[in-house]
Amino acid sequence: MDGAGGGRRAYIGSYTSAGGRGITTAAVDPDTGALTVLHHTDAVPDPSYLVPGPGGGMLYAVSETEDGRAAALSLADPDRPSPAGAPVSVEGAGPAHLTCAAGQLITANYTSGSVSSLPLRPDGTLGAQPAVLSHSGRGPVRGRQEGPHAHAVVADASWRWLLAVDLGADTVWVYRLDHAAAALRPHGRTPLRPGSGPRHLAFHPRGDRAYVVNELVSTVVCCRWDRASGVLEPAGEAGTLPAGSGAEGGNHPSELVVSADGRWAWAANRGHDSIAVLALEPHGAGMELVTTVPCGGHWPRDLALDPAGRRLYAANERSGDVTWFDIDPDTGVPHRAGSIQAPAATCVVLG
């Protein structure tokens, strides 16, 4: 996403109900990766997660409120996202994540434990009649798993499948993407370890594995993924905290990203306030925690890699900043390079 003055742009979501500025636009320095704030808009309440639209002309946001909504913002001026129509109800509570796939905007609704699909019109604006698919199930952790809590929706590289990660039900649901009808079709489910609380998922660039970060037990699960049959199978697990850290009970991992060459994964540790560096087996399900590094703030809710894979950005919600790191290509270890203030930051999207 290039701005009017040239160069890439980053978009930062935040909780307006906690003092955030809504959606912040920042310029990305092409040489250093440094961010410079350009603009804020609070047109969408609590835009906790953002995703660019196909072709880059739109930016989509959830409004993570009890009467959950999704919003489309035009990037005709990339420095100043502007509403393209009124926010649309997703008919689900607390949407926390979204993605675009098969002509739809799809949201994961945390509070209501459902997935909603909104049609995308040819001009990129949102249709007003969502299809809602409700999850079922619960887990053993009291206060967190009394029912389903969908937390992420991710399409695989074949664009045939959508995986929905459910923290409350300890399950990854698999949906078939019906491109002709612009719809989701239930396909299957993969139960994970009871009480693990799966939160987010990222695919290996080769497309045959998916990594699921668990919020309630501070681990990452490597799953084999068969995109011919749409079957996900747990195969290996590794911790995100160093042995003896003493942080297990108060740590809640959030986001995970995988390097474009498939050698490394990074997971954000909220509570330990660190970024875990995991070395991935070239072939197979093995992972090893190499080290953890300070996240540069408090409560890292989201991570983002730049397109070249040279830098990592952390949205630190409770300290109100976005910190960026230079990644050592030989060790995968991020080294802090700078930060900007971003009150109640929840996500970063890089063009």
Side-chain angles (χ1 to χ4, degrees), residues 2-341:
D2 292 320
R8 294 285 185 178
R9 295 294 181 258
Y11 300 99
I12 301 164
S14 65
Y15 282 126
T16 54
S17 60
R21 297 165 177 162
I23 299 171
T24 295
T25 306
V28 184
D29 187 285
D31 298 318
T32 67
L35 302 181
T36 302
V37 173
L38 300 174
H39 181 256
H40 309 288
T41 176
D42 60 1
V44 179
D46 286 347
S48 63
Y49 210 87
L50 312 172
V51 68
M58 287 285 185
L59 182 70
Y60 299 102
V62 294
S63 182
E64 192 181 340
T65 57
E66 188 62 26
D67 60 340
R69 296 177 181 274
L73 298 102
S74 170
L75 294 179
D77 179 350
D79 292 351
R80 294 175 173 269
S82 59
V88 174
S89 173
V90 300
E91 297 184 9
H97 194 259
L98 77 169
T99 193
C100 292
Q104 310 159 76
L105 183 73
I106 303 160
T107 67
N109 308 318
Y110 179 82
T111 306
S112 57
S114 60
V115 170
S116 298
S117 167
L118 286 159
L120 292 176
R121 298 189 179 112
D123 63 358
T125 58
L126 298 175
Q129 294 298 321
V132 182
L133 297 100
S134 295
H135 292 176
S136 61
R138 59 187 302 170
V141 179
R142 294 182 63 183
R144 295 300 311 276
Q145 295 188 308
E146 73 291 345
H149 292 304
H151 212 301
V153 281
V154 183
D156 84 324
S158 73
W159 292 101
R160 294 178 59 197
W161 311 101
L162 181 100
L163 276 60
V165 185
D166 195 304
L167 186 151
D170 290 322
T171 296
V172 178
W173 302 81
V174 181
Y175 294 95
R176 182 170 61 85
L177 289 165
D178 185 335
H179 290 253
L184 292 178
R185 308 298 184 194
H187 177 74
R189 60 181 294 182
T190 299
L192 299 181
R193 181 156 60 93
S196 56
R199 178 183 171 97
H200 276 203
L201 175 150
F203 283 99
H204 189 279
R206 197 166 54 236
D208 61 348
R209 284 171 280 170
Y211 298 89
V212 182
V213 62
N214 292 317
E215 179 173 335
L216 301 183
V217 293
S218 297
T219 65
V220 173
V221 176
C222 177
C223 300
R224 298 186 183 93
W225 170 242
D226 186 337
R227 58 185 166 190
S229 62
V231 172
L232 187 74
E233 179 186 8
E237 191 166 0
T240 66
L241 294 174
S245 69
E248 289 81 0
N251 190 63
H252 305 281
S254 56
E255 181 62 287
L256 174 130
V257 292
V258 178
S259 65
D261 62 9
R263 296 173 60 200
W264 314 104
W266 299 273
N269 283 313
R270 296 177 300 173
H272 193 247
D273 289 341
S274 65
I275 298 170
V277 184
L278 296 148
L280 308 179
E281 280 188 356
H283 303 280
M287 297 172 286
E288 181 184 0
L289 178 64
V290 176
T291 189
T292 60
V293 299
C295 68
H298 181 29
W299 212 250
R301 185 181 176 90
D302 189 42
L303 298 176
L305 276 172
D306 79 333
R310 296 180 300 170
R311 294 181 183 89
L312 183 68
Y313 295 78
N316 296 314
E317 180 185 348
R318 294 185 180 175
S319 55
D321 62 83
V322 172
T323 298
W324 57 92
F325 302 80
D326 296 325
I327 299 171
D328 186 315
D330 297 320
T331 66
V333 175
H335 299 277
R336 187 183 186 280
S339 68
I340 58 169
Q341 290 187 341

